[in-house]
Amino acid sequence: MDVVMLSRLQFAVATYFHFLFVPLTLGLVLLVAIMETQFVRTGDEEYKKMTKFWGKLFVINFALGVVTGITLEFQFGTNWSQYSKYVGDVFGSLLAIEATTSFFLESTFIGVWLFGWKKLSPKAHAACIWFVAIAANLSAYWILAANSWMQHPVGYVIRNSRAELTDFWAVLTQPYAIWMYLHVIAGAYILAGFFVMGISAYHILRGQNIPLFKRSFRMAAIFTVIFAVAEIGIGDIHGKEMMKVQPAKAAAAEAVWETTKGAPLYLFAIPDEENERNSVQIFGIPKLLSLVALGDANAEYKGLKEWPKEERPPVAITFWSFRLMVALGLFFAGVSIVAVLKRNKPETSPRLLKLLVFCIPLPYIAAGLGWTVTEVGRQPWIVYGVMKTADAASNLAVSQVGLSLTAFIVVYAALGVVCFWLIAKYARAIPEPASAPGGADFSSAHVVAADK
Amino acid sequence: MLETVWFLLWGILWAVYFMLGGFDLGLGILSPYVARSDTDKRIVYNTMGPFWDGNEVWLITAGGVTFAAFPTTYAVMFSALYTPLLLLLFALILRAAALEFRSKVEGKSWRKTWDVVLFLGSFVPALLFGVAFANIFQGIPIDADGNFHGNLLTLLNPYGLLGGVLFVLLFAVHGGLWLAVKAEGDLSVRAGRVAGQLWMVLLIVAVAFLAASWFATNLYGNYIAYPWLWLVPLVTVVALVTTRLFMLKAAWWKAWFASCLTIVGATLFGVVGLYPNLFPSSLNPAYSLTAFNSSSSPLTLKIMLVVALIFVPIVIAYQTWSHFLFRDKVTSEDLASDEAY
């Protein structure tokens, strides 16, 4: 393997791993903020116990999200120095501004929130978690605007043999960035919603502290169904945007080889890249693809053969990742609708609860698949139409990158195991039942004196 | 002009990171020597509890600003320093895990393992930052295309290692003072005493480093050309001595602030001496990357300047507030709280 391939793999490992923590951070922080706000509003101790229980899981997850993010920032320089030189004028500023405007806020206030229970008034304390929530969700925008620029570069000119910024506003407000943001954020909220529903379901099934978990379940079910249903529309619009600016990626995601009028949508296909066709394609729904992607059942859908072989993304991975992601997205919408209908009496539906426990990992998989479509589908470009991935890597020795990739896999695997083991340990812990309502003494009461 | 402003801001960002990240790295380095019981160790962890995360963002911002303001330097610097940078990253990642995970599980071997990780995760970055900056001061073997001609051992030369030792000592003293401020009783006394002993070594190493810099680097060129700049090293040396004077009076807060000034001064001494170079080449001065030949376009620099001028003061304000909020010592009562490390 060459340095480019090894660096791609290393970036993929670092990104997938980072994104095991990010979506839960983005979504769970909002739920925790809502719980604490409810506590401040009503004085109901149960809400405080919820805040502490879910807040603890949030914090374990948060730390690894932060530090694995540094790796991503640094890797542009270490492994992709030609890329950094060529587009740093546009791309680098988004990362720097993200740190200045959002990341400081998030990281400072998470510390204040975590250690400040007794130092701040309830209102000020709740405000801190809202700062974290806003900052986390804002920081995602900067990063996704940067990624969108790699997908669809705008607001720049090639000058001094590099891409130079000409219109910052255009970079920030291009539709691709806005829809990608909404798509990723909704996905993150779905993930967090299923996380809370799944863990609540686990406890309800065992009859442990039912009031707290029923309330958590109810809140998460309503939260999830909103975004799971909205995600269908958002994903559709994001897909149409991709169709417009990255038609080769879209064609790979659908495994369409020949340009076709009124293209059918195949639910199942086995792409054969060698012979530029699908060796199997079944369950075709006539004209649906043209209708969904182009808004007109008879519209012409561009096939992969429109592009020379070396300008096509890998078809099979893109196709399958896209198929599975969409299927999971529809499944989430369906399950969350059932869950929201049962939100007041979840204990009467043990089968649903069992299903929800098993659903916890699925949104993680969907998010990983989504990034696979986005990033593999962009190939062979690192910046779509502007710079090829093959020209972007640093001048490093194969041994250097091979060694660091191995180290990443070993260290990340170990940390991932420990982190999720800890999350599972604290997720299974049973909070003490709430004391009688009305006794809302802010400074007392801990969830569990677990393991201190 | 814009380039010079950003060069200075770049230096200040590193200086602030070393000042803030320095005390939490120093705590990790000192912990095995001053913290005896599990309670001691937990106090060490908790004195940096509310801060370490916010401190680290200064590093992320310093990295981000290198990328945004001087993309060519960022590209060449980060790829040339590939191995040390990745070691640094792994150390910081494992260190964060140690902070977050250690006290969440009972069990001696669990906690002991993470204590070792915290030590290594603090010592290695401190050393590598010093090695990296010292090597930058003396020049890196890069050619006209920014390709690095060397390996990790090239960087571990005597001057580079001296820089590494200097950083480890600066941070260890800084962390010791922080612990003297934040801990109670014996632990505070031990921390203050160790900081005092290390200060003696630091003084010797600092003098050696300043002397070695005369022979190994061109840092003094700017000072000879513009003698008023001598103010920077002068303030630094005064701050270093003042740190000791406050320590002798057991005025730990004041000593810590003097130590802050020492670290900022030491960083800026190097940065000012480096100007306009960001990443000088030891092969040929013409290959050096400077604030001018590696910078972003004026538009990018302007936009970032506006953002920095608005947001950095806000960041400083709320981080200062957070220090004010958690100004008290860490007590055993704090350890009983459910959120404590």
Side-chain angles (χ1 to χ4, degrees), chain A residues 10 52 56 59-60 62-64 66-67 70-71 73-74 76-79 81 84-85 88-89 91-93 95-97 99-101 103-105 107-112 114-117 119-120 162 164-166 168 394-396 400-401 404 407-408 411-412 415 418-419 421-422 425-426 446-448 451-452, chain B residues 42 46 49-50 52-54 56-61 63-65 67-68 71-72 74-76 78-79 82-83 85-86 88-90 92-94 96-97 100-101 103-106 110-111 114 145 147 295-297 299-300 303-304 307-308 311-312 315 318-319 321-322 325-326 328 333 335 337-341:
Chain A
Q10 184 169 308
K52 289 226 171 187
K56 182 147 237 158
V59 167
I60 296 171
F62 182 84
L64 279 190
V66 171
V67 283
I70 309 180
T71 316
E73 185 199 30
F74 279 25
F76 292 111
T78 52
N79 292 68
S81 62
S84 300
K85 265 188 225 177
D89 196 69
F91 190 87
S93 57
L95 298 196
I97 294 172
T100 322
T101 58
F103 207 31
F104 269 124
L105 192 65
S107 296
T108 307
F109 279 92
I110 189 71
V112 174
L114 187 59
F115 290 87
W117 278 97
K119 309 227 176 226
L120 291 165
R162 65 177 179 181
E164 291 195 353
L165 186 67
T166 54
F168 188 58
S394 302
N395 182 16
L396 297 165
Q400 262 178 311
V401 190
S404 62
F408 266 110
V411 172
Y412 275 10
L415 277 180
V418 173
C419 184
W421 173 75
L422 263 183
K425 173 183 152 79
Y426 278 89
H446 309 286
V447 182
V448 204
D451 289 15
K452 286 287 154 62
Chain B
R42 287 192 57 204
N46 280 284
W52 69 270
D53 211 344
E56 209 152 282
V57 183
W58 288 95
L59 169 65
I60 297 171
T61 308
V65 160
F67 195 174
T72 310
Y74 170 78
V76 172
F78 279 49
S79 53
Y82 189 82
T83 309
L85 261 175
L86 286 177
L88 185 90
L89 279 177
F90 285 123
L92 290 176
I93 289 170
L94 287 166
E100 204 54 68
F101 296 168
S103 298
K104 295 222 158 46
V105 176
E106 291 279 5
W110 170 272
R111 292 192 171 185
W114 288 117
D145 297 320
N147 294 320
S295 74
S296 278
S297 65
L299 178 65
T300 297
I303 290 170
M304 289 214 314
V307 172
F311 283 93
V312 173
V315 171
Y318 59 65
Q319 288 208 336
W321 170 75
S322 142
L325 187 70
F326 297 104
D328 298 334
E333 197 194 331
L335 295 189
S337 121
D338 191 47
E339 284 75 25
Y341 284 147

Side-chain angles (χ1 to χ4, degrees), chain A residues 2 106 157 287 343 352 374:
Chain A
D2 61 355
E106 186 181 357
V157 60
K287 299 194 176 191
R343 67 188 178 280
L352 172 70
T374 306

Side-chain angles (χ1 to χ4, degrees), chain B residues 25-37 40-41 44-45 115-116 118-120 122-124 168-169 171-173 175-176 179 186-198:
Chain B
L25 291 172
L27 281 168
I29 296 168
L30 278 192
S31 181
Y33 306 102
V34 295
R36 291 182 181 155
S37 62
D40 282 359
K41 293 215 159 76
V44 172
Y45 278 76
D115 289 339
V116 173
L118 181 77
F119 170 77
L120 289 175
S122 305
F123 177 80
V124 170
V168 169
L169 287 166
F171 292 171
V173 169
L179 193 58
D186 276 356
L187 182 59
S188 170
V189 172
R190 273 203 302 278
R193 196 167 55 224
V194 171
Q197 290 158 353
L198 286 176

Side-chain angles (χ1 to χ4, degrees), chain A residues 118-136:
Chain A
K118 292 179 191 170
K119 309 227 176 226
L120 291 165
S121 74
K123 272 188 188 162
H125 192 263
C128 289
I129 194 73
W130 278 109
F131 280 135
V132 178
I134 292 165

Side-chain angles (χ1 to χ4, degrees), chain B:
Chain B
M1 184 62 202
L2 265 176
E3 288 88 348
T4 304
V5 169
W6 269 109
F7 182 91
L8 263 180
L9 284 174
W10 176 81
I12 290 169
L13 283 172
W14 282 108
V16 175
Y17 170 63
F18 291 141
M19 171 182 106
L20 294 174
F23 80 75
D24 65 53
L25 291 172
L27 281 168
I29 296 168
L30 278 192
S31 181
Y33 306 102
V34 295
R36 291 182 181 155
S37 62
D38 186 56
T39 308
D40 282 359
K41 293 215 159 76
R42 287 192 57 204
I43 286 176
V44 172
Y45 278 76
N46 280 284
T47 59
M48 59 180 131
F51 306 114
W52 69 270
D53 211 344
N55 293 347
E56 209 152 282
V57 183
W58 288 95
L59 169 65
I60 297 171
T61 308
V65 160
T66 315
F67 195 174
F70 308 108
T72 310
T73 294
Y74 170 78
V76 172
M77 183 190 283
F78 279 49
S79 53
L81 303 178
Y82 189 82
T83 309
L85 261 175
L86 286 177
L87 278 173
L88 185 90
L89 279 177
F90 285 123
L92 290 176
I93 289 170
L94 287 166
R95 180 175 186 276
L99 282 158
E100 204 54 68
F101 296 168
R102 178 199 186 268
S103 298
K104 295 222 158 46
V105 176
E106 291 279 5
K108 274 202 173 130
S109 56
W110 170 272
R111 292 192 171 185
K112 208 167 195 170
T113 307
W114 288 117
D115 289 339
V116 173
V117 171
L118 181 77
F119 170 77
L120 289 175
S122 305
F123 177 80
V124 170
L127 184 78
L128 289 178
F129 278 125
V131 170
F133 270 86
N135 273 288
I136 292 171
F137 294 160
Q138 69 175 352
I140 305 268
I142 48 164
D143 64 24
D145 297 320
N147 294 320
F148 177 58
H149 294 270
N151 54 43
L152 185 59
L153 293 177
T154 320
L155 303 175
L156 297 179
N157 52 65
Y159 181 72
L161 285 171
L162 189 63
V165 173
L166 177 70
F167 267 53
V168 169
L169 287 166
L170 273 172
F171 292 171
V173 169
H174 201 43
L177 292 172
W178 178 260
L179 193 58
V181 169
K182 291 282 174 169
E184 295 181 309
D186 276 356
L187 182 59
S188 170
V189 172
R190 273 203 302 278
R193 196 167 55 224
V194 171
Q197 290 158 353
L198 286 176
W199 184 89
M200 298 294 180
V201 191
L202 171 62
L203 183 68
I204 297 165
V205 172
V207 170
F209 186 80
L210 286 174
S213 299
W214 183 270
F215 301 102
T217 75
N218 296 321
L219 287 186
Y220 288 101
N222 284 338
Y223 294 94
I224 291 163
Y226 304 97
W228 61 271
L229 287 175
W230 284 105
L231 212 57
V232 178
L234 188 70
V235 167
T236 310
V237 172
V238 171
L240 180 63
V241 174
T242 313
T243 307
R244 183 63 187 153
L245 296 179
F246 283 131
M247 286 160 89
L248 292 172
K249 286 197 216 160
W252 302 116
W253 262 125
K254 288 178 182 164
W256 185 75
F257 278 115
S259 173
C260 284
L261 190 58
T262 310
I263 291 178
V264 170
T267 314
L268 291 183
F269 162 71
V271 169
V272 168
L274 209 53
Y275 181 83
N277 287 317
L278 283 151
F279 205 62
S281 167
S282 60
L283 300 181
N284 182 342
Y287 304 157
S288 294
L289 295 170
T290 71
F292 300 98
N293 72 10
S294 78
S295 74
S296 278
S297 65
L299 178 65
T300 297
L301 294 179
K302 267 184 224 157
I303 290 170
M304 289 214 314
L305 191 60
V306 171
V307 172
L309 289 178
I310 295 171
F311 283 93
V312 173
I314 298 176
V315 171
I316 293 172
Y318 59 65
Q319 288 208 336
T320 308
W321 170 75
S322 142
H323 275 270
F324 182 73
L325 187 70
F326 297 104
R327 63 194 176 282
D328 298 334
K329 285 177 183 290
V330 174
T331 63
S332 47
E333 197 194 331
D334 293 322
L335 295 189
S337 121
D338 191 47
E339 284 75 25
Y341 284 147

